[in-house]
Amino acid sequence: MSEDVGYIFVDQGSLARELCDLIDSLQEGDFIGLDTEFMRVTCYYPDFSLLQLAIHGNNYLVDVWMLEGKVQPIIESLCRTKATVLTFACSEDIELLAHEARRIQCTPTLPERLYDLQLMLAFCGHSYGRGLSFALQELLGISLSKDCTRSNWTHRPLTEEQLVYSALDVRYLEPLFYEIRKRMSDRNFSYFVQEMDYIRSQYDEEMDEDDAYLSVTAAGMLSERELNILYYLARERLLFAQQENQALNRIITSKAMWQLARYTPRSKKELEHRGVRHNTVRLYGDTILKWISQARLAPRYEHLTIPYDYFSHQRAMQGNFDHLKKVVGERIVGSNICPQVLLRKQLLNDYFRAKALGEVPLLQQSWRLDLLGQIDVPLEPMQHESEESSEELLIKPPFLTT
C-alpha cells in the first residue's frame, strides 16, 4: 500500500480470481474506472503491462506481465460486466482491450456501457482533447502529477512512483463522471451515449487487410492504377506487420506509401529517395521491392473504391468543404457541444464519400441528424479557379464501385 494513494497489487492467480468475482458481482448502477499502461514503440500489437481498475473506492493494479495467462478471466469479466466502465482519452485503451478480447475469443469485445470522460467533457462545452490533469483541476480542484507519463512499463519490478501514478489515473474517474454529468443536459448526455455506442462498434473486428489502403495518407491523390498498387502494398504491409509484430511505420511510413504506389521504385536507392528510411531499407528493402514488383503485375482489385481522403484532395471541392463546415457550425450554436466533435476531418470527408457511394453520411445518422437536421451540400463543385483543367474538376473518380 502507498501512503499517498491506496492500491491493491494483483500479481497472483488467487487475487485475480477475487477481482473477477468482484467484477462479475457488479450491477448496472456500479462503475469501474479503467486505464492501461503498455509499450508500443516498435511493435504492431501493444505490449500490455498494467491494467488499472477503480471499483467501490479501491484501486486495483493488475500486473499483466506477472500474471501471464491468468489475466484472461479478468478481460472476460470486464467485457461482460453490467457496470459502466469509465475511461479518459480511451482510444488506445479500448483498442488494447478489444484486441485482448479477440485474442481469447471473448464476446463481446468491449463492455456494453463504456464512457470516455474526455469526450463527455466535449458534450458540455469544453474543448475536445483536454487532458485528465486539466479536467481534475478544473472540475474537482485536484492536482495530478504526470511525472511517469513516459515511464518504462516493461521493467520489473515497477517502482512505487509508477504504481502511485497508475492508481491516480483511475482513482478520480467516478467523481469526475458525476461532476461532468451535473453540468450536462439530458439531451447532450443521450447524444454522448449514442456516440460512445458508435465508437464501440468500430472495435468489433480488426481492420480487414483488403481495406488497409483506404486510410493511407494521400491515397486520394492517386490514379486508379496507382491506387491498385497501393491496395496491394498496404495489404502486404499490414499482414507482414501482424505476422512479425512490427509497427506499420517501422516497415513503411504512411507518408512514403503513396510515393511507392505512384513511382514504383526498382532499387533500394530509389526506395530511400521516395521516403523509405535508411534502416527500413536495410532491414526490409528486398521484401518491399518484391511487393512493388508483384503489385505492378497484380490484377485490378474488383472492390477498389474511394479512399477516405479522396474529396479533400480535390481542389474544386474546397468551396463544398467550406460550406459544409459553415452549415454544421451554424447548427450547433447553442448546443453546448464542442464544434470539434462534429467538424473533424473524418466526418467531413465521410460526408462527400458516402454521398458518392450512395450511402448515408455519418453526419446524417443517429444523434448527429437529430441535432443538425437534413444537410444538402452537393458533390458538384461550388466554386473553382478558372485556370483549373476539366480533369482537375472531375469529382466522380473513375474507379468508383457502383
Side-chain angles (χ1 to χ4, degrees):
M1 302 288 287
S2 165
E3 295 180 1
D4 298 316
V5 58
Y7 61 81
I8 299 169
F9 193 59
V10 180
D11 62 346
Q12 299 175 21
S14 59
L15 293 174
R17 287 190 294 274
E18 290 178 13
L19 181 56
C20 285
D21 291 340
L22 173 60
I23 296 172
D24 292 341
S25 72
L26 300 177
Q27 301 301 312
E28 290 187 9
D30 293 315
F31 292 89
I32 301 174
L34 180 147
D35 192 26
T36 63
E37 304 298 344
F38 58 90
M39 300 295 288
R40 196 183 188 179
V41 177
T42 61
C43 54
Y44 181 80
Y45 297 109
D47 193 354
F48 198 179
S49 177
L50 195 69
L51 171 66
Q52 304 104 278
L53 303 174
I55 305 172
H56 292 167
N58 293 318
N59 306 303
Y60 299 86
L61 307 182
V62 182
D63 193 331
V64 178
W65 269 33
M66 295 301 293
L67 285 171
E68 296 180 343
K70 297 175 184 176
V71 78
Q72 294 184 5
I74 298 178
I75 300 297
E76 293 176 343
S77 293
L78 277 174
C79 291
R80 294 168 180 164
T81 185
K82 296 178 182 177
T84 299
V85 177
L86 306 175
T87 66
F88 198 96
C90 72
S91 60
E92 292 183 322
D93 298 318
I94 62 178
E95 179 186 359
L96 174 55
L97 185 58
H99 166 68
E100 291 295 320
R102 286 191 297 267
R103 188 175 62 83
I104 61 177
Q105 298 182 324
C106 171
T107 54
T109 55
L110 288 172
E112 181 180 355
R113 279 176 291 279
L114 178 68
Y115 296 166
D116 182 346
L117 301 189
Q118 183 185 61
L119 179 60
M120 192 176 177
L121 278 170
F123 278 78
C124 66
H126 287 273
S127 296
Y128 185 55
R130 292 285 196 175
L132 179 60
S133 295
F134 166 83
L136 293 177
Q137 182 65 53
E138 183 78 7
L139 276 68
L140 299 179
I142 296 172
S143 297
L144 189 66
S145 172
K146 301 297 287 184
D147 291 342
C148 294
T149 301
R150 299 187 180 277
S151 184
N152 182 358
W153 296 97
T154 64
H155 182 73
R156 290 297 184 277
L158 296 171
T159 67
E160 182 67 11
E161 290 76 13
Q162 287 176 305
L163 296 174
V164 169
Y165 162 85
S166 58
L168 286 171
D169 266 354
V170 293
R171 180 182 185 182
Y172 299 109
L173 291 181
E174 186 172 346
L176 181 60
F177 166 78
Y178 288 127
E179 186 60 33
I180 300 173
R181 182 65 184 92
K182 284 195 312 187
R183 303 177 183 219
M184 289 182 77
S185 67
D186 289 342
R187 185 194 71 162
N188 281 16
F189 182 66
S190 173
Y191 287 168
F192 163 72
V193 171
Q194 292 176 61
E195 182 67 7
M196 285 306 309
D197 287 342
Y198 166 73
I199 291 172
R200 282 178 57 254
S201 71
Q202 303 307 295
Y203 292 89
D204 287 342
E205 298 178 357
E206 282 195 287
M207 178 189 292
D208 187 331
E209 61 267 19
D210 286 333
D211 292 335
Y213 73 103
L214 294 173
S215 57
V216 172
T217 302
M221 298 193 308
L222 302 178
S223 67
E224 178 180 2
R225 176 182 174 277
E226 293 164 351
L227 192 68
N228 196 65
I229 293 174
L230 181 68
Y231 156 76
Y232 187 91
L233 291 178
R235 182 178 185 276
E236 293 302 312
R237 181 181 70 153
L238 177 59
L239 292 173
F240 185 84
Q242 292 173 339
Q243 179 180 347
E244 301 296 326
N245 194 21
Q246 293 290 316
L248 289 173
N249 280 338
R250 188 173 171 82
I251 303 168
I252 309 174
T253 64
S254 294
K255 290 183 179 181
M257 287 287 286
W258 75 268
Q259 296 189 63
L260 301 189
R262 172 164 289 179
Y263 300 108
T264 60
R266 297 173 182 270
S267 68
K268 292 181 179 180
K269 183 177 180 180
E270 286 185 78
L271 286 178
E272 289 195 51
H273 182 64
R274 295 304 174 187
V276 181
R277 296 167 179 164
H278 174 76
N279 195 49
T280 298
V281 172
R282 182 179 62 83
L283 293 173
Y284 308 119
D286 291 334
T287 299
I288 296 171
L289 289 172
K290 181 183 72 173
W291 292 344
I292 294 173
S293 176
Q294 292 172 341
R296 288 195 204 96
L297 304 175
R300 183 188 186 278
Y301 175 50
E302 60 178 335
H303 300 298
L304 202 68
T305 189
I306 308 174
Y308 296 142
D309 66 355
Y310 176 81
F311 285 99
S312 63
H313 285 287
Q314 306 304 307
R315 291 177 61 194
M317 291 295 289
Q318 184 59 54
N320 303 61
F321 275 92
D322 291 343
H323 185 64
L324 179 59
K325 293 176 188 176
K326 180 174 182 291
V327 171
V328 172
E330 290 173 347
R331 296 189 185 181
I332 62 176
V333 171
S335 69
N336 208 29
I337 295 175
C338 175
Q340 294 165 279
V341 173
L342 288 164
L343 289 173
R344 289 178 290 126
K345 187 182 297 185
Q346 173 200 356
L347 290 175
L348 300 177
N349 283 335
D350 172 79
Y351 179 84
F352 295 107
R353 182 177 184 272
K355 289 190 72 170
L357 292 170
E359 300 171 354
V360 180
L362 290 172
L363 284 172
Q364 299 288 264
Q365 296 181 31
S366 185
W367 68 273
R368 305 177 199 88
L369 176 60
D370 185 65
L371 175 65
L372 301 174
Q374 292 289 339
I375 297 176
D376 187 18
V377 180
L379 284 175
E380 295 73 25
M382 297 182 69
Q383 68 177 30
H384 61 85
E385 300 175 11
S386 58
E387 68 269 22
E388 288 182 331
S389 68
S390 58
E391 182 180 356
E392 289 175 319
L393 291 179
L394 180 63
I395 299 304
K396 183 176 179 180
F399 47 81
L400 176 60
T401 301
T402 57

